Amino acid sequence: MNRNSEQGSGEVLLDVIGQQCPLPVLRARKRLLRLTPGALLRVFASDPVARIDMPHFCAEAGHELIDIRDRGTWIEFLIRRGTDIREPEDDLLSKPVKDI
């Protein structure tokens, strides 16, 4: 899928089945940054930790988590890209956890 097709208001799919924490959230974050505000991202993930990480990420970053569905061996998330995205400070990302 090219970048121009992701700029519309349609829905974009992101399949991260088989990828482990933190990759599902990191890939969702990267894809959401390329979308226009209000666009939808549907994420398919198999990592059980994503049930915790994805809602937390959406709340912290300013995206709307519309729906979570358990599909048995995988989880489906529907996320609306926020208009006022909050990115973590660069110095926070570079600090070891024990220094925070």
Side-chain angles (χ1 to χ4, degrees), residues 21 24-25 45-60 65 68 75 77:
C21 179
V25 168
S46 56
D47 184 2
V49 178
R51 281 189 181 90
I52 298 165
D53 289 350
M54 202 67 73
H56 179 72
F57 158 71
C58 290
E60 291 294 315
L65 182 59
I68 302 174
I75 311 148
F77 300 93

Side-chain angles (χ1 to χ4, degrees), residues 19-58:
Q19 298 179 11
Q20 299 298 311
C21 179
L23 289 178
V25 168
L26 293 176
R27 292 182 192 263
R29 176 186 168 271
K30 184 176 181 180
R31 186 62 55 91
L32 283 161
L33 288 172
R34 293 173 22 194
L35 298 176
T36 57
L40 296 174
L41 177 66
R42 190 172 299 272
V43 181
F44 302 143
S46 56
D47 184 2
V49 178
R51 281 189 181 90
I52 298 165
D53 289 350
M54 202 67 73
H56 179 72
F57 158 71
C58 290

